[in-house]
Amino acid sequence: MLLHILNHIMLSRTFLLVLFICVGGVQEGARTPAGLINKYEVNGLQCWIITHVLWVANAQYFHWFSPTIIIDNWIPLLWCTNILGYAVSTLAFIKAYLFPTNPEDCKFTGNIFYNYMMGIEFNPRIGKWFDFKLFFNGRPGIVAWTLINLSYAAKHQQHMFSVLIHIAIYVLDFFWNEAWYLKTIDICHDHFGWYLGWGDCVWLPFLYTLQGLYLVYNPIQLSTPHAAGVLILGLVGYYIFRSTNHQKDLFRRTEGNCKIWGKKPTFIECSYRSADGGIHKSKLMTSGFWGVARHMNYTGDLMGSLAYCLACGGEHLLPYFYIVYMTILLVHRCIRDEHRCSNKYSKDWVRYTAAVPYRLLPNIF
């Protein structure tokens, strides 16, 4: 049933037209620590659509391989992605020593294990456009997220609808707003090493699809109130996640000349010094969701993550590993990001935290 629904959606003329009118093109990233601004070829949505159109077309018409091919070969694929993850990480490590893309943005700590794990190069590239960070997170990582779940659904379609809907919304949102991803912590602050290389190839696609794998072997029938509650939680979480990020993006693009929740946004003007000695100006918004808490986008993300887990019922703890992991990841990311901002903005950051005192949950944390 699910594959038939996807077949009608993805092979329709209107949907295919998105290939030619969707967002993309060349976009600028954030300024690197050395003061550089990289350009990116943003085409993730086109790649996602082409991949899934071919997947559905094969399942319905060509039958070159079974749509259950991923779950039928789950262990071999896990081995292959591990090899890929370590190969990519090792290549990035060697490349940083022999032919770095931007030597001024490299970070050598003196600890070879830390260098391998957390990365040396900030934005390793091959050629002008092949960027390791953008490609490995967005292509094998995020694209595989929906492909793996489609393979699970082909194995056991009856109880996968809620999980697939939530994940499809998140993934499509990611690719539709891929230019926004260029301004996130992964691109703006993390160096590329094993942490991102192996994580994008192995951890992301296999851990993030844990709920679908669980439902294949432990199918459940949710009650109508339970299913409705899961759907509402996921949609509210998505609304908070998307609205928060949209507000920030709108504020940046217009340099504050916009309206947030019907009013001109308030902000704190800051200055900071980049590694090249230049002084730059920045604005920290204190309106909209960014006036409610400093990381409300993470709050919405966690609500969506909890919805994925709740779609598996409450009979086993295994599907809930995901929300535990995401909570640890995002709370740690909050603390790490704020430590960096404190060092970057100094007294201006103190003013900002006084204006917006809570991190994730208003009046709680």
Side-chain angles (χ1 to χ4, degrees), residues 117-364:
M117 291 283 290
M118 302 307 296
I120 299 171
E121 280 201 85
F122 197 74
N123 290 105
R125 292 187 170 197
I126 294 177
K128 183 178 180 181
W129 297 111
F130 186 84
D131 184 89
F132 279 52
K133 280 186 186 177
L134 185 61
F135 178 83
F136 284 103
N137 186 71
R139 305 308 180 264
I142 303 292
V143 169
W145 195 357
T146 42
L147 278 184
I148 292 172
N149 274 294
L150 284 176
S151 185
Y152 293 164
K155 193 79 170 181
H156 199 297
Q157 296 185 22
Q158 196 170 6
H159 305 289
M160 290 285 292
F161 189 74
S162 180
V163 170
L164 279 175
I165 287 295
H166 283 103
I167 290 171
I169 290 173
Y170 183 90
V171 170
L172 282 170
D173 175 87
F174 174 88
F175 284 124
W176 187 265
N177 297 284
E178 192 173 19
W180 155 84
Y181 177 66
L182 303 179
K183 305 297 175 66
T184 63
I185 192 170
D186 290 347
I187 298 290
C188 295
H189 306 296
D190 288 340
H191 291 247
F192 189 89
W194 179 88
Y195 172 76
L196 287 180
W198 181 87
D200 290 341
C201 294
V202 182
W203 186 259
L204 191 161
F206 284 91
L207 175 73
Y208 286 26
T209 56
L210 195 59
Q211 295 79 25
L213 182 64
Y214 175 82
L215 288 174
V216 169
Y217 296 104
N218 303 274
I220 63 169
Q221 184 66 51
L222 297 178
S223 67
T224 300
H226 188 155
V230 169
L231 181 62
I232 291 170
L233 177 63
L235 291 177
V236 171
Y238 172 74
Y239 171 76
I240 294 173
F241 171 81
R242 171 49 34 218
S243 297
T244 305
N245 287 324
H246 172 71
Q247 288 174 0
K248 185 176 183 179
D249 183 60
L250 177 64
F251 180 80
R252 280 178 169 172
R253 283 189 288 106
T254 62
E255 297 185 349
N257 296 314
C258 60
K259 286 188 177 182
I260 303 294
W261 288 353
K263 300 178 181 179
K264 187 173 178 62
T266 58
F267 58 88
I268 291 176
E269 190 154 0
C270 309
S271 62
Y272 66 94
R273 185 185 300 272
S274 59
D276 62 358
I279 302 295
H280 306 279
K281 298 289 186 179
S282 185
K283 296 175 181 178
L284 300 176
M285 183 167 58
T286 56
S287 292
F289 280 116
W290 295 96
V292 176
R294 301 196 291 269
H295 303 277
M296 279 297 289
N297 52 335
Y298 292 168
T299 304
D301 206 354
L302 288 173
M303 292 171 67
S305 300
L306 180 59
Y308 307 156
C309 301
L310 290 172
C312 298
E315 296 181 3
H316 203 286
L317 291 176
L318 182 62
Y320 291 86
F321 176 76
Y322 179 66
I323 184 60
V324 173
Y325 162 72
M326 288 298 292
T327 301
I328 295 171
L329 173 73
L330 294 180
V331 169
H332 175 261
R333 183 167 286 191
C334 280
I335 296 170
R336 184 163 61 108
D337 188 43
E338 294 196 358
H339 176 72
R340 180 191 59 80
C341 288
S342 178
N343 292 332
K344 180 178 179 179
Y345 297 120
S346 189
K347 293 180 179 179
D348 292 330
W349 182 252
V350 175
R351 292 166 52 213
Y352 173 67
T353 55
V356 187
Y358 297 102
R359 286 172 168 150
L360 286 170
L361 298 172
N363 300 314
I364 298 176

